Amino acid sequence: MSPVAQVRLLLDVWREVGRHLDVHESLALIGPLVERVIPLATIALRHVDVAGGRVDTLAAYPADGHAWRTTLQSGETESVLQWLSVGGVSVLVPGDPGPVGAAAAAPAGAWAIAGPLRLGDGAAALLVVTGESAIAGYAGLVADLLEPMGAAVANDRRLTELARLREAAEADKRALLSRLDRQDVSDAIVGAEAGLRAVMERVDQVARTDAPVLILGETGSGKEVVARAIHHRSRRAQGPFLRVNCGAIPPELVDSELFGHERGSFTGAIATRQGWFERADGGTLFLDEIGELPAAAQVRLLRVLQDGTFERVGGARTLTADVRIVAATHRPMQDLVRDGRFREDLWYRVSVFPVSLPPLRERRNDIPMLTAHFARRAGQRLFGAPIEPTASDVALLAAYAWPGNVRELAAVVERAAILGDGRHLDVGAALGGGAASPGPVSPGTTPAGTLEEANRRAIAEALHRAGGRIEGEGGAAARLGIHPATLRSRMRRLGIDWSSWRRGHGGSNR
């Protein structure tokens, strides 16, 4: 074979290796190129499992030999590894009984040329070309093929590792979404077109900028949901979104958590650690309950907001981070500033664009949508099938004051789903079994009344619609989604006389 033809073949082989990451695709196209030059029978790429003493075929041309594998005998693995470490190719005569011949596994009566592949990560593999005795004269050309074929195997290993990492990341994502009770990282916000319309308009205004945002609202009103909406509508949507609960970090560790620390900077700092700012570089850092930050951390946070620089604890090198700050608090920040517990200059920095979230009691029109959303999700997650709330369920929930806001509503609906055994919501029992007592109602909102009054109104409405009938299809118990015995017990406790409904509507308690 002329030197020019040999160079052309190697260029063609390298071209196919560069075009295809999958080793099967590469070898399927490289095989015919080599076959034009070498009178071969097969080409095989084989992996040596050092720990298990096995040899597996990674890919073969023709492809029908691809599932071949064997187990090396005692002592053969060490000999094969020694041969692989030396390098170069070996010509194996038919029936070669040595360990290299066992690893190459040429077909009966075939000659073989075998050589080790350099993968660079400690893995052991070899290239095996088989054919008639004439192939022995092509040992030099096979040696030249070792480098591109090693690259083909290395590409395939990287592709496999990337697929494994992607599957692990997807599994982590699914587990996180399950813990968060979300279908997607950018779940639609329930009430965005109703009670939160004004809030979402402000979110759309500020999302396309990098201005710091301060979200104000009561506990459980959905501040993190709004913060995520700002992130996903911004140019940083592909970057990280990290949440830090400033009130949950011990004061002595705040600096280390936010800005990181160098190894040996304090007792227990056994390694250098990146802080939240470094980890959020290119994305959004959500500082929940920012009013809980101690004074020393407020000073360093102010510097980051002013010039984007900081140092790790115990470090002297100035670091930078491109981070968008979204802060949130349920506390009256003006009072904290006036009392000197929060820096006034930091307050001006973080409150460039305030967004106020209304409490749930001020957007009662959203309760039916939120109830349906949480009921479907709780039913699907807990029982494998969504649950649909009834009108009486919604009426009971709408009459409550919701001091815990949306977070409390989600908990009550989930409890109601469990009490209803996944078939319906037992809202009355859920509200009476551990829910917080109704809080004060703001002026101008719909009066909530007491829980007993809400139960009484719901039962009266159900009896009215059922014509005084309690049991059976269309009866008051079915309309309320509870057992007839439970309804009778509740009526006795509330002092509701069903007989007056029977006389008034000509119905029956049956």
Side-chain angles (χ1 to χ4, degrees):
M1 182 180 184
S2 70
V4 174
Q6 186 168 340
V7 169
R8 184 177 295 114
L9 171 63
L10 291 175
L11 286 174
D12 289 341
V13 170
W14 273 112
R15 184 180 299 112
E16 297 303 336
V17 169
R19 285 177 176 173
H20 306 282
L21 295 178
D22 183 272
V23 70
H24 301 284
E25 295 179 4
S26 295
L27 193 56
L29 296 168
I30 290 170
L33 297 176
V34 177
E35 197 171 25
R36 294 173 191 167
V37 178
I38 303 177
L40 57 84
T42 63
I43 303 176
L45 298 169
R46 298 205 165 109
H47 168 253
V48 180
D49 179 359
V50 178
R54 293 189 304 272
V55 180
D56 300 290
T57 299
L58 299 173
Y61 173 82
D64 55 1
H66 135 163
W68 178 91
R69 65 177 55 188
T70 190
T71 300
L72 298 175
Q73 300 300 317
S74 177
E76 289 183 334
T77 303
E78 290 76 10
S79 298
V80 171
L81 291 177
Q82 183 178 4
W83 169 74
L84 289 171
S85 66
V86 172
V89 297
S90 298
V91 177
L92 307 173
V93 300
D96 189 329
V100 176
W111 287 63
I113 305 173
L117 301 178
R118 304 293 183 187
L119 303 182
D121 58 358
L126 63 152
L127 167 67
V128 182
V129 177
T130 67
E132 298 180 353
S133 59
I135 70 163
Y138 294 90
L141 180 55
V142 173
D144 290 337
L145 291 173
L146 292 179
E147 187 176 0
M149 298 312 295
V153 174
N155 287 343
D156 186 76
R157 288 171 62 84
R158 293 189 189 99
L159 183 64
T160 302
E161 178 63 13
L162 286 173
R164 186 190 67 78
L165 291 174
R166 185 166 53 248
E167 290 174 1
E170 286 295 326
D172 288 345
K173 176 183 173 182
R174 289 192 297 270
L176 176 61
L177 292 175
S178 176
R179 288 197 299 272
L180 294 176
D181 258 355
R182 299 169 69 90
Q183 299 299 318
D184 187 71
V185 291
S186 56
D187 265 354
I189 296 179
V190 179
E193 299 299 324
L196 291 179
R197 179 189 293 273
V199 171
M200 298 313 298
E201 288 175 354
R202 289 183 66 79
V203 166
D204 289 333
Q205 281 182 315
V206 75
R208 56 180 176 266
T209 74
D210 269 346
V213 179
L214 179 64
I215 304 174
L216 304 167
E218 296 180 3
T219 299
S221 56
K223 295 187 289 294
E224 183 178 350
V225 174
V226 172
R228 288 184 181 276
I230 293 172
H231 173 73
H232 287 296
R233 286 167 165 79
S234 74
R235 65 177 181 84
R236 300 172 179 268
Q238 300 306 312
F241 176 90
L242 299 182
R243 173 186 178 270
V244 183
N245 188 337
C246 300
I249 307 174
E252 63 273 13
L253 295 180
V254 170
D255 278 2
S256 173
E257 290 292 321
L258 290 179
F259 310 110
H261 62 252
E262 298 289 347
R263 179 181 179 183
S265 57
F266 55 85
T267 303
I270 60 175
T272 297
R273 180 184 183 278
Q274 288 186 334
W276 289 104
F277 272 91
E278 285 183 83
R279 293 162 62 186
D281 190 27
T284 301
L285 184 61
F286 176 47
L287 299 176
D288 198 8
E289 298 305 338
I290 192 172
E292 307 290 340
L293 275 179
Q298 292 179 30
V299 175
R300 299 190 70 180
L301 177 58
L302 178 62
R303 180 185 173 188
V304 177
L305 292 177
Q306 286 175 334
D307 55 26
T309 63
F310 61 94
E311 293 94 25
R312 295 184 186 134
V313 175
R317 186 162 56 99
T318 299
L319 305 173
T320 60
D322 176 23
V323 176
R324 198 247 183 95
I325 296 295
V326 177
T329 182
H330 76 284
R331 304 185 66 180
M333 293 299 293
Q334 291 89 342
D335 294 346
L336 296 181
V337 172
R338 185 177 59 250
D339 297 341
R341 288 180 289 169
F342 196 86
R343 294 180 62 96
E344 187 174 15
D345 45 5
L346 179 57
W347 162 250
Y348 293 141
R349 285 284 181 178
V350 298
S351 62
V352 171
F353 196 90
V355 176
S356 296
L357 282 183
L360 185 56
R361 62 181 174 274
E362 293 181 8
R363 52 186 185 103
R364 294 182 180 276
N365 290 340
D366 290 347
I367 290 179
M369 290 182 291
L370 287 166
T371 301
H373 173 72
F374 291 135
R376 285 193 294 268
R377 199 162 65 181
Q380 190 68 52
R381 184 169 62 86
L382 299 175
F383 302 98
I387 301 173
E388 293 297 330
T390 64
S392 58
D393 293 334
V394 174
L396 279 173
L397 294 170
Y400 187 61
W402 299 113
N405 291 292
V406 179
R407 184 181 297 144
E408 185 185 12
L409 174 61
V412 168
V413 170
E414 184 167 334
R415 183 161 62 244
I418 296 172
L419 292 171
D421 294 326
R423 296 190 298 270
H424 62 271
L425 299 179
D426 192 345
V427 173
L431 281 171
S437 59
V441 179
S442 300
T445 62
T446 304
T450 66
L451 181 58
E452 285 192 355
E453 290 171 353
N455 273 314
R456 188 178 286 106
R457 285 197 300 270
I459 292 173
E461 180 185 356
L463 288 169
H464 172 74
R465 294 182 178 277
R469 189 157 52 90
I470 293 177
E471 296 187 10
E473 184 178 355
R479 291 175 182 274
L480 292 169
I482 60 178
H483 193 276
T486 303
L487 176 57
R488 289 194 181 89
S489 172
R490 202 164 293 171
M491 289 169 63
R492 284 194 297 270
R493 180 168 54 82
L494 295 173
I496 298 175
D497 183 9
W498 62 265
S499 61
S500 61
W501 287 95
R502 182 186 59 182
R503 288 192 302 269
H505 299 278
S508 163
N509 71 324
R510 300 297 299 172

